[in-house]
Structure formats: C-alpha cells, structure tokens
Amino acid sequence: MSNIFSIIGTAWEFQRRQPILVIVLFWLIILPLTGQSIVMRFMTSASGMMTMEVSPQFVIGWLGILLFQLILLWGTACVLLIGGRLLSHNAGRSRSSFRAVHSQALTFVIPLFLTGILRACITSLWTLLFIIPGIIYQVRTVFYALITVCEKTPYRAALTKSKELVRGQTWRVCKYLLGLSILTFIPAYLLSTIASLMIDAVDSRFLPITDLIDGTVNGIALLFFTLSIVILYRDIQKNPRLIPPPPIEGTD
C-alpha cells in the first residue's frame, strides 16, 4: 500500500488534472463552511442575550447550520463522484461540467445524510457499552460515503460493506486516518488560528474575515482528505493480501 505522503501527493496530482474540483470547492465546500461559521459566531454573540426560552434567532440559526451541512454534503458527493475516477484506469483530465456533476451529486445528499445519522446512532450505542467498540466501528465504516456515492449502495449496506472491507486491518486503517488527518486538518487549524489572532490584534471588527479564511483552509483540507480516502479505498481493494477472505458457505 502507498504511504501517507504518497497518498497526499496522488491527491494533489489528481486535483490538478480536475479543474472542476476548484469550482466545487468554492461553491459547495468553502461557501457553506464560511456561512456556517458566520451563523455560529452570530449565535454565540447572541447567546448572552437569550433567556431559557427558545428564541426565533436560535431556531433560525440551527436551521441555517442544517442547510449549510446539507450543502456541504452535496459538495462532498461531488468530490466523491469526481474522485471515483481514481478507482478506474481513467483518472485523466475530466471534461464533465459543473452542472452535470452537481445535478448527479444532488441525488446522494439525503442518502448520505441518513446514512451518517444511522452511523452516528450505532456508534453511540456501542459507545454506551464501551468507548473502544464505538471507535472501532467509526474506523471500520469510514468508507460509507464513498460506497454510497461511487457504488450507489447507501444506508446499512454501505456501512456493512465498509465494515467487512476494513475488518482484520482496523489498526492499519486507523493509523492511515490519523496520519491523513494530521497532514490535512492540523495545518488548516493552525493557519486559521494564526490568521484570527493577527486580525484580532489589528482590529477586532475585522474578525468576520476569519470566517472566510477558516472556511477556505478547512475546505481545502476536507477536499484533500476526501480524495485521500478514495485513494486509500483503492489501495485496499487492489492489495488482495490485505483484504479478508470471503466467508465460506454455510458458516457465519
């Protein structure tokens, strides 16, 4: 299997050949992340004025966050559709239009949303018993979104297929996920924090600019992490030594 750095490098080379990813990144990832940050900032600043009663601002704020989350899922589905080319031999420059990709990806938003909720519920049930089984389940079902979009297999079937693929190599996949997270989201967090501190030192009135910076760096991190998950999935499938043998007929 590829190491973590080569996976990031492959993701970088792939996105360079897919100019449509830049459009998806801006409209369906960076903008909803920025909008979500703005709404959360507004809710935080207004929380001191709210009483125990549920205010209209509170309800509108959470509805806004839900809307931005759905748009973000839409963007993730677009990235997975484009990144699905990595699973085949045809990973060259894409000629697909943004209109065609986002129209096709729209059909996966609700399945991704509901499958994510199902995954969270099952994880919570495992965590109620012991924390470790919940973490193991999260790792084993990490490919559910990719399977939902690229293989058109949503809901419990997606979770089951991901779980069966990772079983027997959970620790290996966990190390890859940890390494990929460190190489993508940690730098994004540091850049966002430094920018926020610098802007606050100049004039706190410009702090809303940090929402755009935060959305941009985290959006880029999410793009590369998602593409890296596709590459990791491809590597696991291409290496028979790492894939658990199918169950023998008549056994559990």
Side-chain angles (χ1 to χ4, degrees), residues 63-95:
L63 287 176
I65 290 175
L66 176 60
L67 175 62
F68 286 128
Q69 281 293 311
L70 291 175
I71 296 174
L72 189 59
L73 279 178
W74 191 4
T76 301
C78 288
V79 173
L80 289 172
L81 277 175
I82 300 167
R85 296 167 64 88
L86 286 162
L87 301 177
S88 64
H89 297 292
N90 183 23
R93 181 178 293 270
S94 172
R95 298 183 181 276

Side-chain angles (χ1 to χ4, degrees), residues 77 81 104-113 148-150 152-153:
L81 277 175
Q104 185 178 357
L106 184 60
T107 62
F108 295 105
V109 172
I110 298 302
L112 282 174
F113 180 70
T148 297
V149 174
C150 295
K152 298 179 176 58
T153 306

Side-chain angles (χ1 to χ4, degrees), residues 51-67:
T51 63
M52 294 299 292
E53 297 179 2
V54 177
S55 67
Q57 293 89 341
F58 181 84
V59 175
I60 293 173
W62 279 108
L63 287 176
I65 290 175
L66 176 60
L67 175 62

Side-chain angles (χ1 to χ4, degrees), residues 103-179:
S103 296
Q104 185 178 357
L106 184 60
T107 62
F108 295 105
V109 172
I110 298 302
L112 282 174
F113 180 70
L114 295 178
T115 308
I117 291 177
L118 177 62
R119 182 188 186 218
C121 291
I122 297 175
T123 301
S124 299
L125 291 175
W126 277 112
T127 307
L128 286 176
L129 299 174
F130 298 100
I131 295 177
I132 299 301
I135 297 175
I136 292 175
Y137 185 79
Q138 281 283 303
V139 172
R140 287 181 175 176
T141 55
V142 68
F143 298 117
Y144 84 92
L146 186 151
I147 294 170
T148 297
V149 174
C150 295
E151 301 185 13
K152 298 179 176 58
T153 306
Y155 311 121
R156 196 173 185 88
L159 297 173
T160 301
K161 182 167 184 178
S162 177
K163 186 174 62 175
E164 293 300 322
L165 179 65
V166 177
R167 180 178 282 118
Q169 48 190 324
T170 304
W171 175 237
R172 179 192 297 270
V173 173
C174 183
K175 290 191 292 185
Y176 271 90
L177 294 177
L178 182 61

